[in-house]
mmCIF file of all heavy atoms in Angstrom:
data_model
loop_
_atom_site.group_PDB
_atom_site.id
_atom_site.type_symbol
_atom_site.label_atom_id
_atom_site.label_comp_id
_atom_site.label_asym_id
_atom_site.label_seq_id
_atom_site.Cartn_x
_atom_site.Cartn_y
_atom_site.Cartn_z
ATOM 1 N N ARG A 235 10.203 -20.121 -7.876
ATOM 2 C CA ARG A 235 10.885 -19.945 -9.164
ATOM 3 C C ARG A 235 12.128 -20.825 -9.235
ATOM 4 O O ARG A 235 12.579 -21.375 -8.231
ATOM 5 C CB ARG A 235 11.315 -18.479 -9.351
ATOM 6 C CG ARG A 235 10.185 -17.570 -9.642
ATOM 7 C CD ARG A 235 10.596 -16.234 -10.189
ATOM 8 N NE ARG A 235 11.777 -15.636 -9.572
ATOM 9 C CZ ARG A 235 12.053 -14.343 -9.602
ATOM 10 N NH1 ARG A 235 11.238 -13.511 -10.187
ATOM 11 N NH2 ARG A 235 13.140 -13.875 -9.048
ATOM 12 N N SER A 236 12.685 -20.936 -10.414
ATOM 13 C CA SER A 236 13.861 -21.783 -10.600
ATOM 14 C C SER A 236 15.085 -21.247 -9.851
ATOM 15 O O SER A 236 15.967 -22.013 -9.487
ATOM 16 C CB SER A 236 14.187 -21.916 -12.091
ATOM 17 O OG SER A 236 14.440 -20.635 -12.639
ATOM 18 N N ASP A 237 15.142 -19.934 -9.605
ATOM 19 C CA ASP A 237 16.265 -19.380 -8.850
ATOM 20 C C ASP A 237 16.074 -19.496 -7.340
ATOM 21 O O ASP A 237 16.930 -19.083 -6.568
ATOM 22 C CB ASP A 237 16.513 -17.919 -9.232
ATOM 23 C CG ASP A 237 15.376 -16.993 -8.841
ATOM 24 O OD1 ASP A 237 14.299 -17.484 -8.441
ATOM 25 O OD2 ASP A 237 15.572 -15.766 -8.921
ATOM 26 N N GLY A 238 14.935 -20.070 -6.897
ATOM 27 C CA GLY A 238 14.698 -20.300 -5.482
ATOM 28 C C GLY A 238 13.832 -19.254 -4.806
ATOM 29 O O GLY A 238 13.493 -19.394 -3.634
ATOM 30 N N THR A 239 13.460 -18.202 -5.511
ATOM 31 C CA THR A 239 12.608 -17.157 -4.937
ATOM 32 C C THR A 239 11.174 -17.646 -4.861
ATOM 33 O O THR A 239 10.641 -18.185 -5.824
ATOM 34 C CB THR A 239 12.681 -15.877 -5.799
ATOM 35 O OG1 THR A 239 14.040 -15.469 -5.907
ATOM 36 C CG2 THR A 239 11.872 -14.765 -5.185
ATOM 37 N N ASN A 240 10.544 -17.441 -3.728
ATOM 38 C CA ASN A 240 9.156 -17.845 -3.536
ATOM 39 C C ASN A 240 8.213 -16.780 -4.088
ATOM 40 O O ASN A 240 8.433 -15.587 -3.885
ATOM 41 C CB ASN A 240 8.866 -18.060 -2.046
ATOM 42 C CG ASN A 240 9.629 -19.235 -1.500
ATOM 43 O OD1 ASN A 240 9.503 -20.344 -1.999
ATOM 44 N ND2 ASN A 240 10.431 -18.999 -0.485
ATOM 45 N N ILE A 241 7.180 -17.216 -4.780
ATOM 46 C CA ILE A 241 6.163 -16.325 -5.337
ATOM 47 C C ILE A 241 4.944 -16.394 -4.420
ATOM 48 O O ILE A 241 4.391 -17.463 -4.173
ATOM 49 C CB ILE A 241 5.757 -16.743 -6.773
ATOM 50 C CG1 ILE A 241 6.989 -16.865 -7.664
ATOM 51 C CG2 ILE A 241 4.750 -15.779 -7.348
ATOM 52 C CD1 ILE A 241 7.734 -15.584 -7.882
ATOM 53 N N ILE A 242 4.518 -15.236 -3.922
ATOM 54 C CA ILE A 242 3.425 -15.163 -2.957
ATOM 55 C C ILE A 242 2.093 -15.062 -3.697
ATOM 56 O O ILE A 242 1.979 -14.364 -4.712
ATOM 57 C CB ILE A 242 3.633 -13.958 -2.016
ATOM 58 C CG1 ILE A 242 4.934 -14.155 -1.239
ATOM 59 C CG2 ILE A 242 2.474 -13.784 -1.068
ATOM 60 C CD1 ILE A 242 5.366 -12.972 -0.434
ATOM 61 N N ASP A 243 1.083 -15.737 -3.182
ATOM 62 C CA ASP A 243 -0.266 -15.734 -3.755
ATOM 63 C C ASP A 243 -0.907 -14.364 -3.510
ATOM 64 O O ASP A 243 -1.135 -13.967 -2.369
ATOM 65 C CB ASP A 243 -1.094 -16.842 -3.101
ATOM 66 C CG ASP A 243 -2.449 -17.021 -3.741
ATOM 67 O OD1 ASP A 243 -2.768 -16.273 -4.696
ATOM 68 O OD2 ASP A 243 -3.179 -17.917 -3.293
ATOM 69 N N LEU A 244 -1.204 -13.635 -4.575
ATOM 70 C CA LEU A 244 -1.739 -12.277 -4.449
ATOM 71 C C LEU A 244 -3.165 -12.241 -3.921
ATOM 72 O O LEU A 244 -3.553 -11.273 -3.277
ATOM 73 C CB LEU A 244 -1.651 -11.549 -5.796
ATOM 74 C CG LEU A 244 -0.253 -11.161 -6.242
ATOM 75 C CD1 LEU A 244 -0.302 -10.454 -7.580
ATOM 76 C CD2 LEU A 244 0.431 -10.300 -5.215
ATOM 77 N N SER A 245 -3.949 -13.272 -4.161
ATOM 78 C CA SER A 245 -5.317 -13.274 -3.642
ATOM 79 C C SER A 245 -5.313 -13.374 -2.111
ATOM 80 O O SER A 245 -6.100 -12.711 -1.437
ATOM 81 C CB SER A 245 -6.137 -14.401 -4.249
ATOM 82 O OG SER A 245 -5.614 -15.651 -3.877
ATOM 83 N N LYS A 246 -4.404 -14.166 -1.573
ATOM 84 C CA LYS A 246 -4.293 -14.252 -0.108
ATOM 85 C C LYS A 246 -3.718 -12.970 0.475
ATOM 86 O O LYS A 246 -4.106 -12.544 1.561
ATOM 87 C CB LYS A 246 -3.452 -15.455 0.290
ATOM 88 C CG LYS A 246 -4.142 -16.763 -0.026
ATOM 89 C CD LYS A 246 -3.346 -17.931 0.434
ATOM 90 C CE LYS A 246 -4.070 -19.228 0.074
ATOM 91 N NZ LYS A 246 -3.340 -20.407 0.525
ATOM 92 N N THR A 247 -2.798 -12.341 -0.263
ATOM 93 C CA THR A 247 -2.267 -11.049 0.170
ATOM 94 C C THR A 247 -3.380 -10.023 0.228
ATOM 95 O O THR A 247 -3.483 -9.250 1.187
ATOM 96 C CB THR A 247 -1.160 -10.575 -0.794
ATOM 97 O OG1 THR A 247 -0.138 -11.556 -0.847
ATOM 98 C CG2 THR A 247 -0.577 -9.251 -0.353
ATOM 99 N N TRP A 248 -4.239 -10.005 -0.781
ATOM 100 C CA TRP A 248 -5.351 -9.053 -0.810
ATOM 101 C C TRP A 248 -6.323 -9.311 0.334
ATOM 102 O O TRP A 248 -6.825 -8.370 0.949
ATOM 103 C CB TRP A 248 -6.081 -9.124 -2.149
ATOM 104 C CG TRP A 248 -7.131 -8.068 -2.234
ATOM 105 C CD1 TRP A 248 -8.462 -8.205 -1.987
ATOM 106 C CD2 TRP A 248 -6.927 -6.691 -2.535
ATOM 107 N NE1 TRP A 248 -9.103 -7.011 -2.128
ATOM 108 C CE2 TRP A 248 -8.177 -6.057 -2.471
ATOM 109 C CE3 TRP A 248 -5.815 -5.932 -2.872
ATOM 110 C CZ2 TRP A 248 -8.354 -4.706 -2.717
ATOM 111 C CZ3 TRP A 248 -5.982 -4.590 -3.117
ATOM 112 C CH2 TRP A 248 -7.239 -3.985 -3.038
ATOM 113 N N GLN A 249 -6.600 -10.566 0.651
ATOM 114 C CA GLN A 249 -7.483 -10.884 1.764
ATOM 115 C C GLN A 249 -6.923 -10.354 3.076
ATOM 116 O O GLN A 249 -7.652 -9.760 3.873
ATOM 117 C CB GLN A 249 -7.681 -12.394 1.879
ATOM 118 C CG GLN A 249 -8.553 -12.985 0.817
ATOM 119 C CD GLN A 249 -8.662 -14.501 0.962
ATOM 120 O OE1 GLN A 249 -7.937 -15.118 1.738
ATOM 121 N NE2 GLN A 249 -9.571 -15.086 0.212
ATOM 122 N N LYS A 250 -5.628 -10.544 3.309
ATOM 123 C CA LYS A 250 -5.011 -10.073 4.549
ATOM 124 C C LYS A 250 -4.950 -8.550 4.596
ATOM 125 O O LYS A 250 -5.130 -7.947 5.657
ATOM 126 C CB LYS A 250 -3.602 -10.661 4.714
ATOM 127 C CG LYS A 250 -3.611 -12.146 4.932
ATOM 128 C CD LYS A 250 -4.345 -12.513 6.200
ATOM 129 C CE LYS A 250 -4.354 -14.003 6.413
ATOM 130 N NZ LYS A 250 -5.047 -14.404 7.626
ATOM 131 N N LEU A 251 -4.725 -7.905 3.456
ATOM 132 C CA LEU A 251 -4.737 -6.437 3.411
ATOM 133 C C LEU A 251 -6.124 -5.890 3.730
ATOM 134 O O LEU A 251 -6.269 -4.909 4.461
ATOM 135 C CB LEU A 251 -4.290 -5.946 2.030
ATOM 136 C CG LEU A 251 -2.806 -5.870 1.786
ATOM 137 C CD1 LEU A 251 -2.533 -5.547 0.321
ATOM 138 C CD2 LEU A 251 -2.157 -4.850 2.679
ATOM 139 N N SER A 252 -7.146 -6.524 3.180
ATOM 140 C CA SER A 252 -8.514 -6.092 3.442
ATOM 141 C C SER A 252 -8.879 -6.277 4.910
ATOM 142 O O SER A 252 -9.508 -5.407 5.520
ATOM 143 C CB SER A 252 -9.504 -6.872 2.575
ATOM 144 O OG SER A 252 -9.247 -6.653 1.229
ATOM 145 N N LEU A 253 -8.470 -7.382 5.484
ATOM 146 C CA LEU A 253 -8.731 -7.632 6.898
ATOM 147 C C LEU A 253 -8.026 -6.600 7.773
ATOM 148 O O LEU A 253 -8.623 -6.045 8.701
ATOM 149 C CB LEU A 253 -8.279 -9.044 7.266
ATOM 150 C CG LEU A 253 -8.437 -9.444 8.728
ATOM 151 C CD1 LEU A 253 -9.914 -9.467 9.112
ATOM 152 C CD2 LEU A 253 -7.795 -10.788 8.979
ATOM 153 N N ALA A 254 -6.759 -6.320 7.469
ATOM 154 C CA ALA A 254 -6.015 -5.322 8.237
ATOM 155 C C ALA A 254 -6.637 -3.931 8.096
ATOM 156 O O ALA A 254 -6.735 -3.184 9.079
ATOM 157 C CB ALA A 254 -4.561 -5.299 7.784
ATOM 158 N N ALA A 255 -7.084 -3.592 6.898
ATOM 159 C CA ALA A 255 -7.712 -2.281 6.684
ATOM 160 C C ALA A 255 -9.004 -2.155 7.485
ATOM 161 O O ALA A 255 -9.281 -1.093 8.058
ATOM 162 C CB ALA A 255 -7.993 -2.081 5.191
ATOM 163 N N ARG A 256 -9.772 -3.222 7.556
ATOM 164 C CA ARG A 256 -11.017 -3.185 8.332
ATOM 165 C C ARG A 256 -10.734 -3.049 9.827
ATOM 166 O O ARG A 256 -11.443 -2.346 10.533
ATOM 167 C CB ARG A 256 -11.839 -4.438 8.056
ATOM 168 C CG ARG A 256 -12.369 -4.467 6.626
ATOM 169 C CD ARG A 256 -13.111 -5.726 6.345
ATOM 170 N NE ARG A 256 -14.380 -5.713 7.068
ATOM 171 C CZ ARG A 256 -15.208 -6.734 7.124
ATOM 172 N NH1 ARG A 256 -14.899 -7.854 6.509
ATOM 173 N NH2 ARG A 256 -16.336 -6.650 7.771
ATOM 174 N N ILE A 257 -9.691 -3.700 10.307
ATOM 175 C CA ILE A 257 -9.333 -3.607 11.725
ATOM 176 C C ILE A 257 -8.862 -2.198 12.059
ATOM 177 O O ILE A 257 -9.271 -1.606 13.070
ATOM 178 C CB ILE A 257 -8.257 -4.651 12.078
ATOM 179 C CG1 ILE A 257 -8.848 -6.055 12.007
ATOM 180 C CG2 ILE A 257 -7.672 -4.397 13.464
ATOM 181 C CD1 ILE A 257 -7.831 -7.162 12.099
#
Side-chain angles (χ1 to χ4, degrees):
R235 287 196 320 202
S236 60
D237 66 350
T239 304
N240 293 303
I241 307 296
I242 298 171
D243 187 359
L244 289 180
S245 64
K246 292 183 181 181
T247 302
W248 185 262
Q249 287 178 350
K250 293 298 180 180
L251 277 172
S252 299
L253 178 64
R256 292 177 71 186
I257 291 170

